Amino acid sequence: MNEKNSQTIEVESSLVAPDTQMESFKQARHNRRSELVEDYVELIADLLADGGEARQVDIAQRLGVAQPTVAKMLKRLIAEGYIQQRPYRGVFLTSIGKELARVSRERHQIVEAFLCSIGVSVETARMDAEGIEHHVSPETLEALKKFTATVRA
Amino acid sequence: MNEKNSQTIEVESSLVAPDTQMESFKQARHNRRSELVEDYVELIADLLADGGEARQVDIAQRLGVAQPTVAKMLKRLIAEGYIQQRPYRGVFLTSIGKELARVSRERHQIVEAFLCSIGVSVETARMDAEGIEHHVSPETLEALKKFTATVRA
DNA sequence: TTGGATATATAGCCTTTGCTATGTTATTGT
DNA sequence: ACAATAACATAGCAAAGGCTATATATCCAA
Ligand SMILES: [Mn+2]
Ligand SMILES: [Mn+2]
Ligand SMILES: [Mn+2]
Ligand SMILES: [Mn+2]
């Protein structure tokens, strides 16, 4: 395991403790596994709010993926209880789907608004927020929200 | 495709243009595919700087994955020219590996320092930065760096 | 009311990223 | 010098997230 020298006298190290670092990596991997679900329900909520319908083809177009890719993911969302599907009428959010969409959209908007508030262009803010949002913890979200409010004032 | 009504008179919509949104999602997916490579070379650089060695077992422990998982990824890193492997002496960075490590570590540190600068605890900053870093564009990175410098001053 | 356009479903394939189990090889302490 | 230990390699599996090609079902306009 690379034990080498046990009596090193507190050498300067840019490395954090192995377990601590491991926790961060595990958290990042965990967040990655929720990304798609969050993006789907948020997008479905927006489509429903906008036009009253959330069809596979629309979802596919906005995500930039093929329709069968969406079909497969919708099955997962149904299995996990986030949406319901009505044949040839698109999909709809369940109550827990609505709740996840609300939380996701709120966090997304806070991240995007924050980026703009520190001088990032709206285009870049939009691009970066789409990925960053999924790795923002509640604590960080609070900090971002407070900061943005301060700047606006 | 959901054409519905063509003479809608500029209805208020929280939705951005489909192509614009698609670009953001595509960028996020693209960033996700570089995450692992970036984390590996950065970690390898830190291990080398710290103890002179970067062994599979150490990498596995710090990432929180199994050793064969690391072995497989190291093959990819070799194939892509980021590292070299010396039997039973661990791995070493090529020049392009060193360069990617430098850039990744720099960005990582800027993101983490920034989070601390807006009042996030060091533990949370470390956790969140591990995921956020991979979705921070050069433009956003500049903004974060400038902001942190301002606060410190 | 019916045929064409549109939407959805399904099959089969691929890559990535993870795992466990197990074999092999190099290093090292005695 | 050599056996024990540690490091590494490999096989085989699975799940997630993509794709294309193609079949089927519904809707709607003429
Ligand atoms: Mn989002
Ligand atoms: Mn997103
Ligand atoms: Mn990093
Ligand atoms: Mn990372």
Side-chain angles (χ1 to χ4, degrees):
Chain A
M1 173 55 81
N2 186 14
E3 208 48 64
K4 53 197 143 173
N5 198 355
S6 285
Q7 81 262 30
T8 37
I9 312 155
E10 202 57 32
V11 75
E12 36 72 37
S13 163
S14 70
L15 279 164
V16 81
D19 282 6
T20 307
Q21 192 167 19
M22 189 186 74
E23 277 312 301
S24 299
F25 282 122
K26 284 197 162 171
Q27 181 66 50
R29 282 197 299 274
H30 176 268
N31 290 338
R32 263 189 347 218
R33 293 217 322 277
S34 336
E35 279 186 31
L36 266 185
V37 171
E38 291 165 2
D39 282 338
Y40 267 80
V41 297
E42 188 189 339
L43 175 55
I44 289 166
D46 285 345
L47 287 169
L48 288 174
D50 190 62
E53 281 189 338
R55 320 291 290 245
Q56 285 189 21
V57 280
D58 300 322
I59 297 169
Q61 189 198 9
R62 290 198 115 87
L63 290 175
V65 299
Q67 169 262 322
T69 300
V70 173
K72 201 190 289 186
M73 180 58 55
L74 292 185
K75 280 183 181 171
R76 174 177 163 196
L77 295 181
I78 291 167
E80 295 183 8
Y82 293 113
I83 64 171
Q84 285 180 342
Q85 202 163 17
R86 277 194 275 168
Y88 290 83
R89 330 232 83 170
V91 295
F92 299 87
L93 293 169
T94 63
S95 50
I96 75 157
K98 281 177 191 160
E99 179 57 15
L100 180 58
R102 191 187 61 75
V103 171
S104 298
R105 179 168 41 196
E106 204 167 295
R107 191 188 51 189
H108 191 139
Q109 287 173 345
I110 289 169
V111 170
E112 194 170 313
F114 166 80
L115 289 177
C116 290
S117 83
I118 59 165
V120 175
S121 68
V122 290
E123 298 82 17
T124 302
R126 182 166 46 224
M127 302 267 285
D128 290 12
E130 195 55 78
I132 289 175
E133 55 169 344
H134 310 284
H135 300 273
V136 170
S137 64
E139 184 189 335
T140 296
L141 191 67
E142 268 314 301
L144 297 182
K145 184 160 45 171
K146 276 190 185 129
F147 178 85
T148 307
T150 303
V151 169
R152 201 191 338 262
Chain B
M1 174 56 76
N2 184 14
E3 207 50 62
K4 57 198 145 174
N5 198 353
S6 286
Q7 81 262 31
T8 37
I9 312 155
E10 204 55 35
V11 75
E12 35 72 39
S13 163
S14 71
L15 279 165
V16 80
D19 282 5
T20 307
Q21 191 167 20
M22 189 186 74
E23 278 311 302
S24 299
F25 283 123
K26 285 198 161 170
Q27 181 67 51
R29 283 198 299 273
H30 176 266
N31 290 339
R32 264 191 335 217
R33 295 216 341 270
S34 338
E35 278 186 29
L36 267 186
V37 171
E38 291 165 2
D39 282 339
Y40 266 79
V41 298
E42 188 189 341
L43 175 54
I44 289 166
D46 285 346
L47 287 170
L48 289 174
D50 190 62
E53 282 188 338
R55 319 291 292 244
Q56 285 189 20
V57 279
D58 300 323
I59 298 170
Q61 188 198 10
R62 291 197 114 88
L63 289 176
V65 300
Q67 170 262 321
T69 300
V70 173
K72 202 187 288 185
M73 181 57 57
L74 293 185
K75 280 183 179 171
R76 174 177 162 195
L77 295 181
I78 291 167
E80 295 184 6
Y82 293 114
I83 64 170
Q84 284 178 342
Q85 202 163 15
R86 277 194 276 166
Y88 289 84
R89 326 234 82 159
V91 295
F92 299 87
L93 294 169
T94 64
S95 50
I96 76 157
K98 281 177 191 160
E99 180 57 15
L100 180 59
R102 191 187 63 74
V103 171
S104 298
R105 180 168 41 196
E106 204 167 295
R107 192 188 51 189
H108 190 139
Q109 287 173 345
I110 289 168
V111 170
E112 193 171 315
F114 165 80
L115 289 177
C116 289
S117 84
I118 59 165
V120 174
S121 68
V122 290
E123 297 82 17
T124 301
R126 182 166 45 225
M127 302 267 285
D128 289 13
E130 195 55 76
I132 290 175
E133 54 168 345
H134 310 283
H135 299 273
V136 170
S137 65
E139 183 189 337
T140 295
L141 191 66
E142 267 315 301
L144 297 182
K145 183 157 48 169
K146 276 189 185 131
F147 178 84
T148 307
T150 304
V151 168
R152 201 194 336 264

